[in-house]
Amino acid sequence: MTRTSTAPVRRGRESGEVFGAGFTMFADMLLTGLLTTLASLPVVTAPAAFAAASGTLRRAAETGTPADLGGFVRRLRARTTVRSLAAGLLLPLVAVVVLVDAALLRSDLPGAAVMAPALVLLTLGGAVVALRSTALPEDSQLSLRTGLLRTLEDARGSALLLAAIVLAGLLMWSTPLLLPLLPGPLAFAATVVDLRAPERSGARD
């Protein structure tokens, strides 16, 4: 049995709407990206910020309610817990792994040709798990274990999310000025992947 939404899908423009629903969602994504970047500046708050972004975009997708600062802040406060702050402490460790990987790529040490690709795959896989952990429904607690299970159960969705992460990395490398906006598309990608995934509650036809 697949997950369905009872919210009406907007396919055209409403009276007085200039750009249509597609542009509205795009604007929501950009606004949410900027808010997520600002909320992630202390580093340890990044998991809560991405969870708030996902919750905001999930509500916008399901109900058509535009993203707003107040809703984002409320979700950020609700998601800022001891667990999310502890998860945020792992981010400096990830940064160290990336720096070590970059150093290995430039070195002639034995095994560098094997370790460097392995660290790249480990970093990308960790990013997929982290995003899936923050894209859980608002009534669920942030959980790396749940994110890992969803990553393994929905291989196709995880592959799509991996492609989004690689694309975001390429955009950041080619155009660093886009960095403040990239959390929005990443949170949107994680949310859409979670919404399209099969029900995991055990209810089957």
Side-chain angles (χ1 to χ4, degrees):
M1 178 172 153
T2 56
R3 183 177 304 169
T4 58
S5 174
T6 57
V9 179
R10 297 171 56 199
R11 300 185 183 279
R13 299 180 187 179
E14 294 183 353
S15 177
E17 189 174 32
V18 178
F19 296 107
F23 188 88
T24 300
M25 179 58 74
F26 179 72
D28 289 344
M29 187 172 60
L30 294 184
L31 172 63
T32 303
L34 287 173
L35 294 175
T36 304
T37 298
L38 292 173
S40 298
L41 289 179
V43 180
V44 295
T45 56
F50 272 86
S54 177
T56 301
L57 293 172
R58 181 187 292 267
R59 177 171 173 78
E62 292 181 337
T63 68
T65 304
D68 64 294
L69 176 61
F72 181 88
V73 171
R74 286 194 299 273
R75 293 180 180 88
L76 179 63
R77 289 176 177 173
R79 290 298 198 176
T80 303
T81 62
V82 174
R83 175 179 293 189
S84 70
L85 294 175
L89 293 175
L90 296 175
L91 295 178
L93 178 61
V94 174
V96 170
V97 170
V98 172
L99 291 175
V100 169
D101 184 48
L104 284 174
L105 287 172
R106 294 192 300 267
S107 71
D108 295 326
L109 294 175
V114 176
M115 286 300 300
L119 286 177
V120 169
L121 293 176
L122 179 64
T123 302
L124 292 175
V128 172
V129 173
L131 283 175
R132 300 212 69 159
S133 300
T134 60
L136 301 176
E138 292 191 63
D139 57 353
S140 303
Q141 290 187 345
L142 296 183
S143 171
L144 287 175
R145 180 177 179 275
T146 303
L148 177 60
L149 290 176
R150 294 200 174 198
T151 299
L152 298 176
E153 291 174 355
D154 181 22
R156 183 178 179 183
S158 298
L160 292 173
L161 189 53
L162 176 62
I165 293 171
V166 172
L167 179 59
L170 291 174
L171 288 174
M172 183 176 64
W173 173 75
S174 62
T175 314
L177 290 177
L178 291 177
L179 178 59
L181 300 176
L182 291 179
L186 287 176
F188 182 75
T191 303
V192 170
V193 165
D194 189 73
L195 287 173
R196 60 161 288 282
E199 285 282 7
R200 297 174 178 83
S201 62
R204 304 279 180 186
D205 286 339

